[in-house]
Structures are given as structure tokens and as C-alpha cells.
């Protein structure tokens, strides 16, 4: 832009000044001031307009495309980005953190053996010494005292499979640093546990539901020796759907169980399968059941909210990729890396991408229904970058006579999954600890941010 005022305006100003040379000094100064007040707005307005247009464009433009086409696809579902004064806590890199870990396998009783990697001889410990660093801000590490104050008098349920329970164990380990818990489980079944923290009247519960819908094991071995399951894709699993009325927060997740061979039923009619290896049956793939399971789960939550039977806040914890290398899980595959990936060293693809995108799409539909309160706990990117965080073969004693494959699905504790609870605490802080009273955000503003 030309930095000088328009020529015609200067000429006009000059002629006015010349004609006033014989005018008393005070009149001259007043006149010149009036002329400047006329010219300056004409000159500055284009700059002001350009500045406003630039600001408006910056607020409304979509995020720049990622080098990964898969991430670009996911981002397109998210909607418009926040102003530059905020940052998306779910996009970033892992950076060294010599202060970690914040608990140990000796200080926390909640760690199950198959995630107790140090107990069973894992030779390296660097996998515990990393911290998630969002691209444009810092994410505070989990503060158990702060968390307990936010959830005082409330309750949290984990619904899903053993990876969801893995996160619950991490959360308990954090909280045990500053308080104690009592087992308040209504049953001796380890798949359905409740722990109460009396100092803050806070309760954590887990509801085992690996398929989210009603299911039953039809064959203990099945085509791959991992069982064959009947999935009733239009029938909710009442083990969790009938238990939510008193909960303030629910974290729902599911994933790896859908890879197992399954038979699909709708309206009690057999409609197809996933990897049942029957030439007379249509293989609809696991993506068919995965989509319908989440669709039904979200519909049930919305229906419960509409009926007034559930007023809590629902977090969808997104899919956690596994990291088998040099073979499939049952053909010698393993995960032996000792450092995280950088974001430009890998990308989400294959069935992991498909499952993640399915979750995002069904989540978007559920939020548009506008009844229950939904938030996206988007752990997929951070988890994808941690091939070093799995138990591998360190989930049991080396001399034990057990038939176990290398575990590249679950996570060592302490370990990368602790960051999921860093995310959770930040999201609760964004809610102001309001729980069920919090206003529902739109899908377009699903990202959890830090100012």
C-alpha cells in the first residue's frame, strides 16, 4: 500500500494553508487541524479495513492441511479452528520428561500384572520419561489434588474393554498419591468394579462391555482361537446402559474386540459376520459392527438424557492403535521400540484410520441430536506415536508356563496412557467442574483447548 496520502488531498490542503498566510496564527492552527482531521481518516481507513479483514479470515479459515492425508480427513470433520490464542491439546509431539514417572508399580496396587512391565523385567525405563507437548502450548501434568477438587461429590464411569480399564487404573494410581480408596463394588465380578474416595466423596466405576451392544460367546475357540461371538447390533448391553443414572461423567470406548470373529444379528435375524470364514455367509467386516455399535450406544445415551434418566457428561475416548511389527499379533508380531515416533515418522492408516473416522462420524451425528452432553477425548494421535509403551512380553514372569502373545495393545503403567488423564483433567478444567450443569458445545467446537 502507498504510504503517502492521495496527491489531490495534499494539494487541497496546501492551497487552503496558502490562502491563510495573513490570517492570525490561532485561526491558521485551527484550520490546519481541521484539514488533517479530514485527511487522516481517508488515509487510515483502508489500513483498518485490511486489518479487520485479515483478523476475520484468520478466525474463520480451516486449519492447514497435515502432511498425513488421514489426519487431514479427520480435521475436515472438526470444523473451524480456534483463534491463535488457543491451542488444540490433542495435536503435538512427545518430549523428554526426566521428572516422570509420578507413581511406580510399587506405590500403586491398581496395576494389573499384564501391565506391570517393570515388575516382570522390562530392561529399559525410558518409555516412562516422556511428556505430551501440544503444538502451541504446554499441557500440565496430572495434578491429583486439583482433579479431586473438581470431582468432589461426583462419580465417573468407564464403559468399554480392558484398554478403558487400563486408563482407570492409571487414574487410580494418580489419585492414590494424595488420598486413599475403598472397594465399594456391588459384586465380586472383577469386570464391574467401584472404588470410593471418602476424602472427596468421589467414586470411580468400570463396566465391562467390549462390544457396547449385547453379545455372547458362541464358540470359545472360533476360527482364530480368540472366540466366536454373537453380536446383537440393535440391542443395548444392559450391563452398563441400566447403571448410568447416577453418574456425573462417563468415558465410553471400544475397539480391539471388534477384530475378533463375530456373527451379526439385527431384529434377531442373522445378517452376516466378520471373519467367520464361512463361504456361505456374507463377510460384512468389523467396520459394519463397529459403526452400528457406537450408533446404538450414542442413541441410548441420548434417549436416557431425553427421558431425564441421565444428566451426566459423556466423553468418547477415541481409538488407541496397536503397534505390532514384523508379523501379525498371532504370527510373531512384537513391539520392541524404545522411543516415541515423531509426528512425521508415521501416520494413521488401515483399519485404525477406519475405526477412528467411524467414531468421529457417529460422534458428530450423536451431538447433532442435541440431547446428551458429549465431549471428544481424542487420544488417537498421541497414542499412535508411542510404539514403545506396550508390555510386549513383559506382562508375566519369564518362567511362567502361559500361552500369551506379545501384548502390543495394552499399555505399561506408568506409561503413555497416563497422558489420557492429563487430557481428562484439562477438559474438566475447561468445563469449570460443572459436570452435568455445563452447557453443551457444538461439534464444530469439539476441540479441548488451552488459552
Amino acid at each position: 500500500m502507498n504510504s503517502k496520502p492521495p496527491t489531490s488531498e495534499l494539494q487541497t490542503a496546501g492551497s487552503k494553508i496558502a490562502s491563510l498566510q495573513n490570517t492570525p496564527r490561532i485561526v491558521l492552527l485551527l484550520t490546519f487541524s481541521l484539514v488533517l482531521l479530514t485527511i487522516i481518516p481517508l488515509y487510515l481507513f483502508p489500513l483498518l479495513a485490511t486489518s479487520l479483514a485479515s483478523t476475520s479470515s484468520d478466525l474463520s479459515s480451516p486449519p492447514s492441511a497435515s502432511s498425513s492425508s488421514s489426519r487431514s480427513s479427520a480435521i475436515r470433520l472438526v470444523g473451524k479452528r480456534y483463534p491463535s490464542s488457543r491451542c488444540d491439546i490433542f495435536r503435538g509431539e512427545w518430549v523428554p520428561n526426566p521428572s516422570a514417572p509420578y507413581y511406580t508399580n510399587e506405590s500403586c496396587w491398581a496395576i494389573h500384572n499384564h501391565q506391570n512391565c517393570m515388575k516382570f523385567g522390562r530392561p529399559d525405563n525410558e518409555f516412562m520419561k516422556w511428556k505430551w507437548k501440544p503444538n502451541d502450548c504446554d499441557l500440565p501434568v496430572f495434578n491429583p489434588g486439583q482433579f479431586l477438587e473438581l470431582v468432589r461429590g461426583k462419580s465417573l464411569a468407564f464403559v468399554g474393554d480392558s484398554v478403558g480399564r487400563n486408563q482407570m487404573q492409571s487414574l487410580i494410581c494418580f489419585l492414590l498419591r494424595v488420598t486413599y480408596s475403598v472397594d465399594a463394588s456391588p459384586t465380586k465380578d472383577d469386570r464391574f468394579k467401584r472404588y470410593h474416595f471418602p476424602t472427596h466423596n468421589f467414586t470411580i466405576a468400570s463396566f465391562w462391555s467390549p462390544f457396547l451392544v449385547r453379545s455372547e460367546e458362541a464358540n470359545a475357540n472360533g476360527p482364530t482361537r480368540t472366540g466366536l461371538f454373537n453380536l446383537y447390533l440393535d440391542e443395548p448391553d444392559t450391563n452398563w446402559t441400566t447403571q448410568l443414572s447416577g453418574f456425573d461423567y462417563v468415558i465410553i470406548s471400544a475397539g480391539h474386540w471388534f477384530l475378533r470373529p463375530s456373527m451379526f444379528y439385527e431384529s434377531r435375524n442373522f445378517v452376516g459376520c466378520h471373519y467367520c470364514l464361512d463361504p456361505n455367509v456374507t463377510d460384512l467386516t468389523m467396520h459394519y459392527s463397529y459403526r452400528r455399535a457406537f450408533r446404538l450406544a450414542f442413541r441410548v445415551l441420548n434417549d436416557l438424557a431425553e427421558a431425564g434418566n441421565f444428566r451426566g457428561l459423556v466423553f468418547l475416548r477415541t481409538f488407541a492403535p496397536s503397534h505390532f511389527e514384523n508379523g501379525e499379533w498371532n504370527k510373531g508380531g512384537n513391539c520392541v521400540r524404545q522411543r516415541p515416533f515423531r509426528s512425521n515418522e508415521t501416520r494413521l492408516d488401515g483399519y485404525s484410520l477406519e475405526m477412528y473416522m467411524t467414531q468421529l462420524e457417529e460422534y458428530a451425528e450423536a451431538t447433532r441430536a442435541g440431547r446428551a452432553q458429549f465431549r471428544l477425548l481424542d487420544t488417537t494421535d498421541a497414542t499412535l506415536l508411542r510404539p514403545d509403551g506396550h508390555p510386549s512380553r513383559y506382562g508375566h514372569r519369564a518362567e511362567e508356563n502361559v500361552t500369551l502373545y506379545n501384548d502390543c495393545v495394552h499399555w505399561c503403567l506408568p506409561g503413555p496412557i497416563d497422558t489420557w488423564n492429563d487430557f481428562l483433567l484439562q477438559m474438566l478444567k475447561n468445563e469449570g467442574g460443572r459436570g452435568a450443569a455445563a452447557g453443551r458445545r457444538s461439534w464444530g467446537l469439539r476441540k479441548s483447548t488451552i488459552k
Side-chain angles (χ1 to χ4, degrees), residues 275 324-334 405-406:
Y275 206 71
F324 291 99
E325 295 186 64
N326 300 316
E328 298 176 18
W329 65 272
N330 59 346
K331 296 179 180 179
N334 203 353
Y405 297 100
N406 297 318

Side-chain angles (χ1 to χ4, degrees), residues 72-133:
S72 299
S73 299
I75 289 174
R76 280 195 290 272
L77 282 175
V78 170
K80 298 178 180 179
R81 70 182 180 188
Y82 279 103
S84 57
S85 60
R86 297 171 178 255
C87 93
D88 183 351
I89 64 173
F90 302 128
R91 309 288 172 243
E93 303 281 357
W94 290 94
V95 298
N97 180 23
S99 299
Y102 299 95
Y103 62 89
T104 70
N105 64 316
E106 295 180 347
S107 69
C108 182
W109 54 258
I111 304 174
H112 284 188
N113 275 349
H114 55 283
Q115 283 109 38
N116 202 336
C117 303
M118 301 310 292
K119 177 180 178 180
F120 295 121
R122 178 162 173 166
D124 62 302
N125 63 6
E126 290 302 309
F127 68 92
M128 297 186 289
K129 298 182 178 295
W130 295 88
K131 180 181 181 297
W132 181 249
K133 172 67 172 66

Side-chain angles (χ1 to χ4, degrees), residues 23-44:
T23 305
R25 186 176 182 83
I26 186 66
V27 176
L28 177 62
L29 290 173
L30 287 173
T31 304
F32 188 74
S33 298
L34 289 172
V35 172
L36 287 178
L37 289 174
T38 301
I39 294 173
I40 289 173
L42 293 173
Y43 171 56
L44 289 181

Side-chain angles (χ1 to χ4, degrees), residues 108-110 167-177 181 195 197 204 421:
C108 182
W109 54 258
Q167 182 184 2
M168 182 188 75
Q169 293 161 350
S170 165
L171 179 59
I172 291 174
C173 290
F174 274 129
L175 300 183
L176 291 177
R177 293 175 54 205
S181 68
Y195 299 100
F197 295 81
I204 295 177
N421 289 315

